[in-house]
Amino acid sequence: MSATLSQEVRDRAATLREEIDGHNYRYYVLDEPSVPDAEYDRLLRELQALESEYPELVTPDSPTQRVGAEPLAAFEPVRHETPMLSLGNAFSNEEVEQFHARALKTLETEHIDYVAEPKLDGVAMSLRYRDGLLERAATRGDGQTGENVTSNARTIDAIPLRLRGAGWPEELEVRGEVYMPLAGFEEYNRRMAETEGKALVNPRNAASGSLRQLDPQLTAQRPLAFFAYSVAGQSAISDSHFEILEQLREWGFPVNPLVKRVRDAEGCIAYYEEIGAMRDDLAYDIDGVVFKVESQREQETLGFVSRAPRWAIAQKFPAQEEITQLLDIDIQVGRTGALTPVARLEPVFVGGVTVTNATLHNIDEIRRKDVRVGDWVVVRRAGDVIPEVARVVLERREGRPKEFQMPETCPVCGSDVERVEGEAVSRCTGGLVCKAQRKQSLMHFASRRAMDIEGLGSKLIDQLVENDLVHSVADLYRLEKEQLMALERMGEKSADNLVEQLEKSKTPPLDRLLYALGIREVGEVTATSLARHFESLERLAAASEDDLIEVPDVGPIVAQHVHHFFQQPENLEVIEALEQAGVQWQALESIGGDQPLEGQTWVLTGALSVPRARAKQWLESLGAKVAGSVSGNTTTLVAGEAAGSKLAKAEKLGVEVLDEAALFELVRSHGIDPD
Ligand code: IVH
């Protein structure tokens, strides 16, 4: 027997439901989280407690009722009254132009407005609402018949159980994509790795696999989300597809904020470029964009061919993941002696380029992913990121290939390999004896952001090291024209040029020299902090670990590496030899104690023509904090080329946005030369 139900309790339950729905709406639809998770959970628990005390309060659309349905024996088939169609694909701008030209001809018009949308890589879903309540959710299946996955769909918080506002038709069928956001995918797999559970293969499979669980409790544990992209059949809501989407948003459906009206093929192609540039910054995988003729009247005139509409087309991006075979595992030795296992692959076209090598990171990663020579592997290349072996397709493994072992001696110099307790990396102990380490340190020393020695590339460095002309970076400055000319493929002019470039590089700012020396854990930003703090190489070399920790951004590990570096006689010899050869560092131009941006928080996004680390330094030297993401605290966003979601967010929050030119002007006005 439940206790008697007072009006007060009834009202409280209704208020709680409304509040929870409101938070869901702000979180999923408006993308503006309004309360911390803990507060949300508290409201939900209070409602759960009330409902368990007074079961008659429970309604099917209560947010407590997302989970709870019994596991099924099988999914029931569902016939789609309006078939769920697929889309034709365009793989080039020309194909988009042809699609547009055909539509112009049929419609006998000169311009067409389209709605352009990101094409999410998930699973299509049909959601039927009756009198504003979710009645049935179904997968696409073959387009005519899908599966009834209502209990599973109900567990997805982004799918409204009850519509908001008013004005919806008695029966409404909304279609959209269920997907797994990348953060959720990664977090889930991290958890599985810890508990030795089964990892998800990729976010797309994860979404479809999660929806096809017979036990809704399992689906509920998967971090799924949803974007609505259409209404089934012709809709009386509006003639405009864009307005239909806006209406869906008001009724409580998340609609992708990147959806946009565009005009003609040019507008479509520009949108494809725009979304392509932000693809790697998005919180979910997309495999292309979709263009839909905006007017339903025009859609009807255009009609269908077989199972795809003539009024919509998908323009695909190059795939970011492909499957290929792992031919071998090689070991590369880096500047600090780190041994990196590298996968040699059967060439495969992925992310717009042909990939033959991919990093395997380190032995722990190889073990975790259980990668073995001969396996079929998923290669991933997102944007400019180095291609990596993401995972093994275990189902395709043949026989029982051997586990890979890291070598015990360096494959280049034969020195012992050591692995420090608790570190994933194995290192060659050969130091400058090891030709691989020597070559890599020289490459680093000469690189653009270090000493910037033009013309000293990897081929030439190979020759210099192989011919024993250069042992340490200081030897570079002892090279003579005649020695260089004796090298293969080196003419007099190139030799002259190189000598000249070496001469030119002899007066680096102190921070660049520090960076060029290749001290472990000292990147450009730390190098500048150190240079600013100590103002001279001698003072830095004499600093204790305690002195070093005083420097902003320097923690105990960096302090230890820096201190250790200057304790090694061979490093001091190199520095002395550099000085003897005429290398003379320059003091950093003092910005003066002026901190005009003090108290401000800046964010950098998009592509800038200078390294982001440098722009960050300018701002920090003027007193600003530089953060990684836009929030209510952000003062200013610097948006470079193809800025993506951060720019959108800044605009939404009304944060000041500067372009690169404006940033340059600002720093110039404070005495920093950005060029
Ligand atoms: S419209 C007739 N819009 O792509 C129009 N589809 O091959 C049919 N998809 O299975 C779909 N994002 O799951 C449309 N913004 C979007 C989409 C989208 C992803 C998927 C959808 C469908 C497939 C079409």
Side-chain angles (χ1 to χ4, degrees), residues 207-219:
S208 80
S210 304
L211 270 180
R212 302 196 70 264
Q213 297 291 330
L214 288 166
D215 182 355
Q217 301 274 359
L218 294 179
T219 310

Side-chain angles (χ1 to χ4, degrees), residues 271-534:
Y271 183 81
Y272 174 81
E273 304 289 340
E274 181 186 332
I275 300 295
M278 57 171 83
R279 184 183 187 193
D280 297 329
D281 291 335
L282 296 177
Y284 40 80
D285 268 347
I286 56 174
D287 58 351
V289 292
V290 184
F291 310 122
K292 300 173 183 170
V293 170
E294 134 107 308
S295 152
Q296 286 195 88
R297 249 180 307 105
E298 292 184 337
Q299 288 183 6
E300 206 169 9
T301 312
L302 288 161
F304 302 87
V305 256
S306 65
R307 287 160 66 197
R310 278 210 196 85
W311 46 263
I313 194 162
Q315 188 175 10
K316 302 296 278 282
F317 293 127
Q320 288 177 317
E321 289 192 352
E322 286 294 347
I323 291 176
T324 189
Q325 201 168 16
L326 175 63
L327 304 176
D328 205 353
I329 298 178
D330 284 354
I331 295 292
Q332 255 172 20
V333 184
R335 173 165 61 83
T336 60
L339 267 47
T340 307
V342 176
R344 300 279 171 238
L345 303 165
E346 186 62 39
V348 61
F349 192 72
V350 48
V353 298
T354 300
V355 171
T356 47
N357 303 322
T359 179
L360 287 160
H361 301 291
N362 55 55
I363 190 71
D364 289 352
E365 284 290 297
I366 294 184
R367 289 282 179 274
R368 189 175 68 77
K369 295 174 182 161
D370 191 19
V371 182
R372 301 178 191 209
V373 173
D375 275 344
W376 288 88
V377 293
V378 175
V379 176
R380 186 172 168 87
R381 181 183 178 275
D384 294 333
V385 180
I386 304 168
E388 63 161 0
V389 170
R391 57 202 158 258
V392 173
V393 187
L394 279 178
E395 301 78 58
R396 288 182 74 173
R397 177 174 285 173
E398 282 168 19
R400 304 172 91 224
K402 276 208 307 276
E403 271 199 350
F404 175 77
Q405 305 294 342
M406 285 302 268
E408 285 171 7
T409 54
C410 171
V412 177
C413 71
S415 303
D416 285 347
V417 165
E418 69 170 10
R419 186 170 168 189
V420 179
E421 261 312 289
E423 265 193 42
V425 196
S426 303
R427 282 179 205 281
C428 159
T429 52
L432 287 184
V433 169
C434 178
K435 281 186 178 168
Q437 290 190 51
R438 247 152 64 199
K439 287 178 189 171
Q440 295 293 332
S441 341
L442 288 163
M443 294 268 288
H444 174 76
F445 186 80
S447 65
R448 198 166 61 80
R449 282 140 74 172
M451 300 294 273
D452 194 16
I453 308 171
E454 222 174 284
L456 187 55
S458 65
K459 294 236 169 63
L460 185 51
I461 288 176
D462 276 356
Q463 285 179 296
L464 294 173
V465 171
E466 293 303 333
N467 287 303
D468 264 339
L469 291 176
V470 172
H471 278 259
S472 81
V473 294
D475 298 338
L476 288 171
Y477 293 98
R478 296 206 195 91
L479 287 170
E480 280 166 16
K481 181 176 160 188
E482 289 67 33
Q483 285 175 305
L484 291 170
M485 279 173 61
L487 297 172
E488 250 176 76
R489 283 188 298 275
M490 175 65 84
E492 181 168 1
K493 194 144 171 249
S494 312
D496 273 338
N497 274 345
L498 184 61
V499 172
E500 193 184 319
Q501 287 298 327
L502 281 162
E503 202 51 44
K504 233 176 82 181
S505 74
K506 280 183 174 172
T507 49
L510 177 57
D511 56 344
R512 289 226 193 184
L513 175 65
L514 283 179
Y515 172 65
L517 288 174
I519 307 169
R520 269 184 55 198
E521 303 289 335
V522 177
E524 285 173 282
V525 176
T526 309
T528 305
S529 302
L530 291 170
R532 273 193 203 297
H533 188 88
F534 291 100

